[in-house]
Amino acid sequence: MSAKYLRICIAAGLGVVGTAFVTAVRAQAPAGPLPAATPQAPASPDARPQAPIATVKPRTSILGAWKLNRDESDDPRKKTQDARGANGGGGGRGGVRMGIPGMGGGPYGGRRGGGAGNESDQDRERMQEFMNASRALTVAEAKKDVEIDMFDDQERKSAFFTDGRKLQKTKDSTSQEIAAHWDGNRLVTDEKSPSGRKMSRTYELSYDGTQLYETLRLTRGRSDSQISIRYVYDQADARTANSSQTRR
């Protein structure tokens, strides 16, 4: 074997050994720091679990506690103005709170004299207060098929009698008796306005049983303008109703 060939073999062997050594050293080197984790975007509020919305259980009668829904109720002043405008009439303005459960405060009012049409200023002020809805109502059956009692947010009581009895007149502003009758499931009153004109109020459930509708129907002014005003009440528990009744 020539010396040149021998040198080539030795060089090749040393190259293989060197490569193997370097590879072994790298394999034994300690691991470096792990790469940082990719940050995750915070969860959208819409993606978070939402609390279940409580469903309103339908009622089968007008009995129970109710609270006024102003957004869905008619504006009595606008209704009155619309009726006057449609008939080309004028009229006075309402004043202090008074009325009956479902319609506002006590039985007295009126501070101006005179007026147009067939109503005095006092009558108009009293009628305006009839058209002020109560913030809360509690309806109870005092005697089956005979008497329905209603309490408003001022703790006044109206006793609706459906047996045709002769009613007792009272000067007590906190309690009064009103003639009424049942029209199916609707309670309809038979009343007269402060000016002596016929008027009525109807209490009935909404079609789905979740709300109470109170509808006031009456005629006003020299032209006998027909006015219909609807107030809408949502269900309320007794505690909520009592809180509204004691708040002034």
Side-chain angles (χ1 to χ4, degrees):
M1 180 180 298
S2 66
K4 183 178 179 180
Y5 180 77
L6 181 60
R7 284 197 298 270
I8 291 173
C9 291
I10 293 173
L14 291 175
V16 173
V17 172
T19 301
F21 176 77
V22 172
T23 301
V25 170
R26 288 180 177 177
Q28 295 177 5
L34 296 175
T38 303
Q40 300 293 325
S44 169
D46 295 337
R48 295 174 184 172
Q50 299 293 324
I53 300 176
T55 57
V56 179
K57 184 178 180 180
R59 292 182 179 176
T60 58
S61 74
I62 65 174
L63 305 181
W66 306 91
K67 57 184 178 181
L68 180 66
N69 184 327
R70 294 189 182 278
D71 293 337
E72 296 187 23
S73 298
D74 290 338
D75 181 343
R77 290 183 181 274
K78 185 177 185 305
K79 281 280 191 174
T80 303
Q81 291 170 358
D82 290 346
R84 289 172 180 167
N87 292 277
R93 298 178 181 175
V96 296
R97 279 187 62 86
M98 51 72 63
I100 50 183
M103 292 298 162
Y108 306 108
R111 289 174 289 181
R112 304 183 187 90
N118 296 327
E119 296 177 337
S120 68
D121 254 7
Q122 184 182 42
D123 287 342
R124 283 194 299 274
E125 289 189 2
R126 293 183 64 188
M127 181 55 67
Q128 186 64 52
E129 296 307 326
F130 271 114
M131 296 188 294
N132 285 341
S134 298
R135 289 190 297 267
L137 294 175
T138 300
V139 187
E141 186 176 53
K143 190 174 182 180
K144 185 174 176 60
D145 298 329
V146 174
E147 179 182 353
I148 297 291
D149 288 347
M150 183 176 295
F151 301 87
D152 70 359
D153 61 321
Q154 302 292 313
E155 297 185 352
R156 286 181 294 264
K157 171 187 174 182
S158 284
F160 299 98
F161 290 98
T162 60
D163 58 353
R165 72 176 61 189
K166 184 177 180 179
L167 304 180
Q168 300 294 322
K169 293 183 178 180
T170 176
K171 296 181 178 180
D172 184 0
S173 63
T174 63
S175 179
Q176 62 178 314
E177 297 182 355
I178 299 173
H181 66 274
W182 288 102
D183 180 9
N185 292 327
R186 304 186 307 163
L187 180 65
V188 183
T189 69
D190 305 303
E191 306 176 67
K192 289 186 177 180
S193 70
S195 61
R197 300 191 179 199
K198 184 177 180 180
M199 60 170 280
S200 69
R201 286 172 291 149
T202 301
Y203 297 93
E204 61 185 317
L205 286 176
S206 61
Y207 71 94
D208 60 359
T210 62
Q211 293 179 312
L212 173 70
Y213 293 155
E214 176 187 17
T215 304
L216 171 66
R217 296 181 177 87
L218 69 157
T219 58
R220 296 198 64 189
R222 184 178 301 166
S223 58
D224 291 338
S225 302
Q226 301 291 322
I227 302 176
S228 177
I229 304 171
R230 170 173 285 186
Y231 300 107
V232 179
Y233 290 85
D234 296 327
Q235 293 185 25
D237 56 36
R239 180 168 50 187
T240 301
N242 290 336
S243 175
S244 297
Q245 289 170 358
T246 55
R247 184 170 58 248
R248 295 293 188 271

